[in-house]
Amino acid sequence: MADGLVIIPTFNEIENIEAITKTVFDLKKDFHVLVVDDNSPDGTADCVRTLQTEYPDRLFLEVRKEKSGLGTAYIHGFKWALERGYEYIFEMDADFSHRPADLSRLHRACLNGADVAVGSRYKKGVNVVNWPLARILLSYGASFYVKLITGMKVHDPTAGFVCYKRNVLETINLNNVRFIGYAFQIEMKYRAYLRKFKIEEVSIIFTDRVNGKSKMNSAIIREAIFGVIAMKFRSIFFKKSF
C-alpha cells in the first residue's frame, strides 16, 4: 500500500480531473488519490468512476450531497485518510495550479524532518504565473496580514498545496476547525504552529488555472480577513479547546 494520499476536492472540474489524476499516477512515487466531489453537475464524479476501472487500487471517490466548502471537503478527506492508515496526506487543487511533480518535493521535506510541508508561492519572491497584479497584491497582502496577526513565520499561510504527516492531523481536533473557505488553510497551519509542529516551506511555481472557473468570491475574502482576528482571539481565550 502507498504511504501517501493526495486529496483533490472538486466541484465542476470535468475539464481537469482526468488529466490531473493521470499525471499524479505517472509519477515515480506511488501515490494514491482521493477525489472528494461536491456532487458536481458537470459529471466530474462519473469521470472519476470511469477512471477507477483503470486504477482500481489507487483512485478513490467520495461524493458529498452538495457544495459545502473547501475546508469541509478536506476534513472529510483527512478523516478518510486517517481511517485507512496513510502516513502522508496531501492537499492539491485539480486545476494544475499545483504541479503534480512537486508532490515528491513536499514528501521529501517531510521525510527530512518537516511535520507540515507547504508548497510556497512566496518563499523566494513571488512565484505566480498568469495572475493579474490586483490578485497578486491581494494574496501577498493577505499573507503579510496573517503573519502579523498570528505570529507564524510562514511566507504563504494561505497556500493550498500541503503535505501533512499523519500525527499532525491526529493531534489537531478536526471537528473544531471552523473555516470552510480558503481561510481553512490558514487555520490548519495555525493549529499546527500552536502545537509546535515543524512547518517547512518548499518554493514552488504557482500557475493560474487554464480550464474551468475559479471558486474565489467575496465571501471567501471576508472570511479570511475578519476570521483571522476571531481565530486569534479564540486561540487565546479558549486555548484548551482550540
Side-chain angles (χ1 to χ4, degrees):
M1 176 177 170
D3 64 354
L5 178 74
V6 181
I7 302 172
I8 303 178
T10 57
F11 184 75
N12 287 346
E13 292 290 355
I14 189 66
E15 296 172 287
N16 296 306
I17 192 60
E18 180 176 358
I20 195 74
T21 300
K22 288 186 174 182
T23 304
V24 172
F25 290 150
D26 284 343
L27 297 173
K28 290 183 179 180
K29 177 171 170 52
D30 181 20
F31 291 103
H32 286 181
V33 172
L34 170 66
V35 176
V36 181
D37 185 68
D38 279 359
N39 202 18
S40 300
D42 70 350
T44 298
D46 288 333
C47 180
V48 175
R49 292 186 184 99
T50 300
L51 287 169
Q52 284 182 304
T53 63
E54 188 175 349
Y55 305 102
D57 301 317
R58 301 180 69 187
L59 178 60
F60 306 95
L61 173 67
E62 291 282 290
V63 179
R64 306 196 299 168
K65 291 183 178 180
E66 58 187 5
K67 194 172 187 292
S68 303
L70 180 75
T72 60
Y74 273 127
I75 294 296
H76 185 104
F78 291 161
K79 291 179 178 179
W80 191 96
L82 292 176
E83 288 172 0
R84 287 158 180 80
Y86 291 95
E87 292 296 330
Y88 302 94
I89 297 97
F90 299 78
E91 300 178 355
M92 190 176 76
D93 291 347
D95 60 8
F96 282 96
S97 55
H98 304 140
R99 297 189 304 180
D102 288 329
L103 287 167
S104 298
R105 297 175 62 220
L106 297 180
H107 181 247
R108 192 179 308 117
C110 284
L111 288 176
N112 291 336
D115 298 304
V116 182
V118 178
S120 177
R121 297 163 291 187
Y122 307 128
K123 181 180 180 181
K124 297 179 180 178
V126 178
N127 292 324
V128 177
V129 178
N130 292 339
W131 263 10
L133 180 60
R135 188 164 181 185
I136 292 175
L137 293 174
L138 176 64
S139 175
Y140 194 80
S143 297
F144 179 80
Y145 169 75
V146 170
K147 287 194 290 184
L148 185 66
I149 297 296
T150 65
M152 287 193 294
K153 308 300 183 185
V154 178
H155 298 290
D156 195 358
T158 64
F161 194 23
V162 186
C163 176
Y164 291 97
K165 279 186 177 177
R166 176 186 182 86
N167 64 317
V168 177
L169 299 182
E170 288 176 327
T171 302
I172 293 172
N173 188 334
L174 297 175
N175 292 325
N176 283 349
V177 176
R178 294 207 180 176
F179 291 141
I180 62 173
Y182 285 87
F184 162 82
Q185 305 292 1
I186 302 169
E187 183 173 358
M188 286 296 298
K189 295 177 187 68
Y190 187 50
R191 287 177 179 271
Y193 166 78
L194 291 179
R195 287 161 178 78
K196 309 299 183 183
F197 286 112
K198 182 181 179 181
I199 303 173
E200 181 177 328
E201 292 183 89
V202 176
S203 183
I204 65 163
I205 296 174
F206 179 97
T207 304
D208 196 19
R209 67 163 61 234
V210 174
N211 297 313
K213 295 181 179 179
S214 172
K215 312 303 188 296
M216 181 68 71
N217 57 47
S218 59
I220 289 171
I221 295 172
R222 285 196 302 272
E223 180 189 57
I225 293 173
F226 299 110
V228 169
I229 295 177
M231 179 186 71
K232 176 67 174 181
F233 278 111
R234 288 200 312 274
S235 71
I236 295 171
F237 296 107
F238 302 97
K239 191 172 183 179
K240 290 184 178 180
S241 62
F242 187 81

